[in-house]
Amino acid sequence: MTFLSPDRLWLLALAPILAGLYIVLQMRRRNYAVRFTNLALLSQVAPKRPGWRRHVAAALFLIMIVLMMIGFARPASSVKIPRDRATIMVAVDVSLSMMAQDVPPNRMEAAKTAAKKFIRELPSRFNVGVVSFAGNANLIAAPSADRDTAIASLDQLSLAKRTAIGEAVFTSLQAIRTFDTQAAHDPPPAHIVLLSDGDNTTGRSVQEAVDASRAAHVPVSTIAFGTPYGTVDIEGETTSVSVNKEALKTLATSTQGKAYEAADAGQLREVYANIGSSLGFKTEHRDVAARYTGIALLFALAAGGASLVWFSRLP
């Protein structure tokens, strides 16, 4: 899409004025010719008229003027520029409820497999970090372009009691704010992908996480691993651990992220498809006046060439 400077657009109004002036002059010439009542005499004193060719140079010249006016109006085109500092934080729930086998082989292994695949398929321009959370949240791989470190950190995960979703978001935001030396005053464009069965039981609330994410302009997309029928055996006792989809959906939709229900690892492909275009690129307006000026010069050469060939003079 091309944008023009509004304070210079008024120049384009001159184009129809010039076209109208040319038409008026042609009509005046025609009216002057009618004054010769003796057509035989007129054919002798007036050379053969060039017909349509006499208008070609004028039309080309007028197009050149219009293009020069557009160039003077400082046209700018929208261009997508890759964001080299773009960062994705992957937060993985390691609470005991992730042992449930309603998502084969179990929620935990399904989430790890999905996260690994997601990280491997991220374009190289993205930085990626990993956070694990249960009763508290820990940064286990600082955001960087090193995919191997991020994937290896997932193999070191171990289960623990309770679920601190809010803390996972706050830890991810902290990692983003300390990404590099300029992140404190110019944080990188970022997105958090949180994989959990969705029941916040300790630490700061989901609403506090929402407020912090919105203040930082960092969306949170969530993947809900589990079904309403999940159970786990804890100290010999079978406990129901149904997935809390509503908590995850609230977190995602309130931060302009996306909420997904994952019965398998394939859902993460869709997460990246939704965040890749907005996070991976930024839109800039670049001056393209030279483009119009160059085309205008071509029309000027065409007008001059046509006039020289047909009339042996410049327009």
Side-chain angles (χ1 to χ4, degrees):
M1 184 178 294
T2 301
F3 302 88
L4 299 176
S5 177
D7 58 334
R8 299 189 180 189
L9 281 176
W10 62 270
L11 284 171
L12 290 176
L14 296 177
I17 294 176
L18 290 175
L21 181 60
Y22 177 78
I23 294 172
V24 169
L25 290 174
Q26 293 301 311
M27 293 180 65
R28 289 185 63 182
R29 285 183 181 180
R30 185 176 300 174
N31 292 336
Y32 179 75
V34 172
R35 295 178 185 177
F36 289 87
T37 56
N38 191 329
L39 296 180
L41 177 62
L42 178 60
S43 63
Q44 294 178 10
V45 300
K48 185 177 180 180
R49 301 182 70 180
W52 60 268
R53 290 180 299 173
R54 72 181 187 275
H55 302 300
V56 172
L60 293 173
F61 184 80
L62 182 61
I63 294 173
M64 178 205 71
I65 292 295
V66 171
L67 289 170
M68 292 295 287
M69 289 176 177
I70 294 175
F72 182 71
R74 294 181 298 190
S77 180
S78 296
V79 180
K80 283 189 172 183
I81 307 298
R83 289 174 157 177
D84 294 334
R85 299 170 66 226
T87 300
I88 292 179
M89 296 300 301
V90 178
V92 182
D93 186 349
V94 294
S95 61
L96 293 177
S97 59
M98 293 293 283
M99 289 191 301
Q101 297 179 358
D102 51 342
V103 179
N106 58 55
R107 296 177 184 179
M108 182 67 185
E109 289 303 318
K112 285 169 59 176
T113 300
K116 288 179 181 180
K117 186 170 184 176
F118 178 57
I119 292 171
R120 287 192 190 98
E121 293 182 354
L122 284 176
S124 58
R125 67 177 178 271
F126 286 98
N127 299 289
V128 61
V130 181
V131 167
S132 67
F133 64 97
N136 50 39
N138 298 293
L139 178 66
I140 58 175
S144 73
D146 187 349
R147 301 289 188 266
D148 292 337
T149 297
I151 290 172
S153 70
L154 293 169
D155 289 325
Q156 308 303 316
L157 296 177
S158 57
L159 297 172
K161 295 180 179 180
R162 295 186 295 276
T163 308
I165 292 176
E167 297 302 325
V169 172
F170 277 95
T171 300
S172 298
L173 292 174
Q174 178 63 22
I176 294 165
R177 284 193 294 267
T178 57
F179 170 70
D180 54 22
T181 55
Q182 65 185 96
H185 58 84
D186 181 24
H191 200 112
I192 298 171
V193 177
L194 187 140
L195 301 87
S196 174
D197 52 15
D199 201 1
N200 191 62
T201 61
T202 188
R204 282 170 281 193
S205 68
V206 170
Q207 185 57 52
E208 288 176 288
V210 167
D211 295 339
S213 297
R214 293 178 65 175
H217 304 289
V218 176
V220 180
S221 288
T222 59
I223 312 291
F225 279 85
T227 70
Y229 315 107
T231 61
V232 293
D233 292 329
I234 301 176
E235 298 177 352
E237 183 178 343
T238 300
T239 303
S240 175
V241 286
S242 61
V243 64
N244 187 342
K245 298 175 183 178
E246 289 305 315
L248 295 176
K249 184 176 180 180
T250 297
L251 175 58
T253 57
S254 299
T255 59
Q256 297 185 335
K258 298 287 185 178
Y260 298 92
E261 299 177 11
D264 56 59
Q267 284 287 333
L268 279 183
R269 281 185 176 273
E270 189 175 350
V271 177
Y272 173 67
N274 279 284
I275 68 177
S277 59
S278 60
L279 179 62
F281 297 89
K282 60 181 176 180
T283 301
E284 290 186 354
H285 293 160
R286 290 191 171 179
D287 192 318
V288 293
R291 180 189 306 170
Y292 289 90
T293 302
I295 298 174
L297 289 174
L298 292 177
F299 275 95
L301 290 173
S307 185
L308 285 173
V309 170
W310 289 332
F311 311 112
S312 299
R313 61 182 175 82
L314 290 173

